[in-house]
C-alpha cells in the first residue's frame, strides 16, 4: 500500500508535466503560424518588462516610499470600495423599504377588492332571489289569470248557450207551429 501512495503523486506530477508541455507546444504553434500574434506578444512583453523594470528601480531607490505609495493606493482602493458598498447598501435599504411599502399597499387594495367583490356577489345573489320570487309571482298570477280566463270563457260560452235556449224558446213561441 505505501508503494501505491508513492506512485500516485508521481503520476500526478507526470500528468501536470504533460499538460504544461501541451500548453507550451500549442503556444509555440500559434506563434509560429501567426506573425501578428508574435508581434503583439513581443510588444506586450517589452511594455511589461519596462513597467516592471521601472517599478523595481523605484523600489530600489526608495523602498519605504514605494511601500508607502503601494499601501496608500491599497487603502484608497479599499476606501472607494467601502463607499461604493455603503452606497449600494443605502440604495437597497431605501428602495427595499419603498418596494415593501408598495407591496403592502397592493396587498391591502387587493384584499379590499376581494371583499367588495364578495359583497357584490352576495348582493347579486339577493337580487337574483328577488327576481326569481318576482318570476314565480308572475307565473302564479299568470296561471290564476289563465284559470280565471278559462272559467270566464266557459261561463261566457255557457251564457250564449243559455241565451240560445232562451232565444229558441222565445223564437219557438214566435214562429208558427207547423
Amino acid at each position: 500500500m505505501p508503494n501505491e501512495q508513492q506512485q500516485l503523486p508521481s503520476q500526478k506530477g507526470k500528468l501536470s508535466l504533460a499538460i504544461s508541455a501541451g500548453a507550451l507546444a500549442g503556444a509555440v504553434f500559434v506563434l509560429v503560424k501567426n506573425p501578428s500574434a508574435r508581434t503583439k506578444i513581443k510588444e506586450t512583453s517589452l511594455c511589461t518588462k519596462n513597467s516592471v523594470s521601472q517599478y523595481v528601480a523605484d523600489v530600489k531607490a526608495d523602498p519605504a516610499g514605494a511601500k508607502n505609495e503601494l499601501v496608500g493606493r491599497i487603502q484608497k482602493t479599499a476606501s472607494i470600495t467601502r463607499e461604493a458598498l455603503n452606497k449600494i447598501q443605502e440604495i437597497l435599504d431605501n428602495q427595499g423599504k419603498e418596494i415593501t411599502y408598495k407591496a403592502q399597499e397592493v396587498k391591502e387594495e387587493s384584499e379590499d377588492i376581494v371583499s367588495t367583490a364578495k359583497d357584490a356577489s352576495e348582493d347579486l345573489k339577493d337580487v337574483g332571489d328577488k327576481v326569481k320570487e318576482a318570476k314565480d309571482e308572475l307565473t302564479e298570477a299568470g296561471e290564476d289569470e289563465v284559470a280565471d280566463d278559462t272559467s270566464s270563457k266557459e261561463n261566457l260560452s255557457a251564457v250564449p248557450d243559455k241565451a240560445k235556449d232562451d232565444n229558441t224558446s222565445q223564437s219557438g213561441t214566435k214562429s208558427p207551429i207547423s
Side-chain angles (χ1 to χ4, degrees):
M1 193 108 161
N3 194 15
E4 288 179 16
Q5 287 179 352
Q6 289 175 354
Q7 287 179 350
L8 287 177
S10 173
Q11 289 175 351
K12 288 181 182 178
K14 288 180 184 179
L15 180 62
S16 300
L17 182 61
I19 290 173
S20 298
L24 184 61
V28 168
F29 180 74
V30 168
L31 290 175
V32 169
K33 285 295 211 174
N34 191 351
S36 65
R38 257 189 315 227
T39 306
K40 187 174 180 179
I41 289 175
K42 283 180 186 178
E43 290 172 1
T44 304
S45 298
L46 184 60
C47 184
T48 304
K49 176 186 165 205
N50 290 338
S51 296
V52 170
S53 296
Q54 181 63 38
Y55 185 74
V56 169
D58 290 345
V59 169
K60 282 183 181 179
D62 186 16
K67 175 189 161 204
N68 290 338
E69 182 184 336
L70 182 61
V71 169
R73 286 183 16 201
I74 290 171
Q75 288 175 343
K76 186 174 180 179
T77 302
S79 174
I80 291 169
T81 304
R82 262 187 256 116
E83 287 175 17
L85 289 174
N86 288 338
K87 185 69 174 173
I88 290 170
Q89 187 64 44
E90 182 181 315
I91 290 169
L92 289 176
D93 289 344
N94 291 339
Q95 297 300 324
K97 288 177 185 175
E98 188 173 331
I99 289 170
T100 302
Y101 176 73
K102 293 289 183 185
Q104 186 65 30
E105 281 182 353
V106 168
K107 179 183 173 192
E108 290 171 0
E109 288 176 7
S110 297
E111 289 171 353
D112 288 346
I113 290 170
V114 168
S115 175
T116 303
K118 285 182 181 177
D119 292 345
S121 173
E122 290 172 6
D123 291 344
L124 287 173
K125 185 179 177 188
D126 291 343
V127 169
D129 291 343
K130 292 291 184 183
V131 168
K132 184 178 178 186
E133 186 179 321
K135 176 188 167 199
D136 291 344
E137 184 65 31
L138 284 175
T139 305
E140 288 175 9
E143 289 173 355
D144 290 346
E145 284 180 15
V146 168
D148 288 345
D149 285 346
T150 306
S151 65
S152 295
K153 284 181 184 176
E154 288 174 2
N155 289 340
L156 286 178
S157 61
V159 167
D161 288 341
K162 223 180 195 186
K164 282 181 186 176
D165 290 343
D166 289 343
N167 287 339
T168 314
S169 63
Q170 286 177 1
S171 64
T173 56
K174 288 184 182 178
S175 58
I177 302 177
S178 27

